[in-house]
Amino acid sequence: MRVFWIAGAVVLLDQATKATVLQFMYREQSIPLLGDWLRLTFTENPGMAFGITIGPSGTVTVLSLLATMLVGAYIYQVRNDYAPYRWSLAFILGGALGNIIDRVFYGVLLDYGPYFTGRVVDFIHVSLWQGFIPRVIPVFGGAYMELFPIWNVADMSIVVGVVGVMVFHQAFHERRIAKRRAARAGGRTWRRPAAVFSDLGLEAPPPAPSALTQPDAPAPRGKAASGSGAASASARSSAVSEPHP
């Protein structure tokens, strides 16, 4: 399926870029590409987005595995539906698998922890905005803030997939509804009796009685009269011949 080709390509690209960063950069190193707006900054994320962690070590990895399996099962259910929608799901699946590899294996590969405790390698540093928050905003008003997400190819693939799902979901559902209506309309079509009996295990419908299939032909008037006269004569003779007690 083309979906798995897309997901596999995302995983390969993600892991190749992470291996390059691990080989040629040290932790917290930052290399400017487009001034302060775009840099390569090597960091490691032990949790989810924005470094959020929940539960004991390895909980995030287990939850990520469960979510990825659900995405894969859903892709299998819609495997024959609208292609752009399925491709968007493929980007989400590939990105999720790329980060799961980090969380499952990187602790052992980089020798800082057991399986399922690895940290996700991030290096694409984009400074979206920096400045002072207006004072009218409660709590944070007047503070200096910089929005600088640091992500990787897997994160970017997930974002692309989510945007694709949002764009194509309406067309996807419209096509599914049209298929259901067409299937229901096809189910109401007339079927031959032979096909109905074949469903019941019979090769053909049972033959109708011959009395119902042969038309009743009216007898000629002369023959009908002679026949009735003969019948009445025989009845009278039988009544005379019977002995009386």
Side-chain angles (χ1 to χ4, degrees):
M1 295 174 63
R2 188 172 298 181
V3 170
F4 295 110
W5 283 105
I6 295 174
V10 171
V11 172
L12 290 176
L13 180 61
D14 176 68
Q15 291 300 309
T17 54
K18 290 174 178 176
T20 303
V21 170
L22 291 170
Q23 181 69 28
F24 296 103
M25 295 182 67
Y26 56 86
R27 290 173 178 82
E28 306 303 330
Q29 181 183 5
S30 183
I31 302 174
L33 297 179
L34 295 176
D36 292 334
W37 186 80
L38 178 61
R39 290 174 289 175
L40 295 180
T41 302
F42 180 12
T43 62
E44 292 177 312
N45 183 4
M48 299 182 293
F50 304 104
I52 299 174
T53 58
I54 56 175
S57 178
T59 302
V60 175
T61 304
V62 174
L63 294 177
S64 300
L65 282 170
L66 293 176
T68 304
M69 287 190 291
L70 291 176
V71 172
Y74 181 65
I75 290 176
Y76 181 78
Q77 290 181 350
V78 300
R79 61 189 181 277
N80 297 321
D81 287 316
Y82 190 41
Y85 185 81
R86 290 186 288 111
W87 298 341
S88 301
L89 293 172
F91 279 102
I92 296 176
L93 179 63
L97 290 174
N99 284 335
I100 283 176
I101 292 174
D102 296 21
R103 293 189 173 102
V104 174
F105 300 106
Y106 274 24
V108 175
L109 294 177
L110 302 180
D111 197 20
Y112 60 76
Y115 290 106
F116 289 86
T117 60
R119 298 188 291 265
V120 176
V121 174
D122 294 328
F123 57 93
I124 302 174
H125 187 171
V126 181
S127 182
L128 298 177
W129 178 84
Q130 54 184 349
F132 290 93
I133 300 176
R135 295 185 179 276
V136 296
I137 297 179
V139 182
F140 300 102
Y144 179 83
M145 181 175 290
E146 182 179 2
L147 299 178
F148 51 94
I150 305 177
W151 49 1
N152 51 44
V153 174
D155 298 332
M156 296 175 64
S157 177
I158 293 174
V159 172
V160 171
V162 170
V163 172
V165 168
M166 295 174 63
V167 171
F168 298 116
H169 80 281
Q170 183 174 357
F172 164 73
H173 289 293
E174 289 176 353
R175 288 170 182 261
R176 293 200 81 178
I177 293 173
K179 285 184 178 180
R180 290 175 182 174
R181 290 177 178 174
R184 291 174 183 174
R188 291 196 300 265
T189 56
W190 179 83
R191 301 178 64 193
R192 294 180 304 165
V196 177
F197 280 95
S198 63
D199 295 339
L200 300 176
L202 302 176
E203 295 182 355
S210 59
L212 298 178
T213 58
Q214 295 178 358
D216 295 333
R221 296 178 61 89
K223 291 184 178 181
S226 61
S228 59
S232 58
S234 61
R236 287 195 299 269
S237 63
S238 61
V240 171
S241 62
E242 289 181 355
H244 294 280

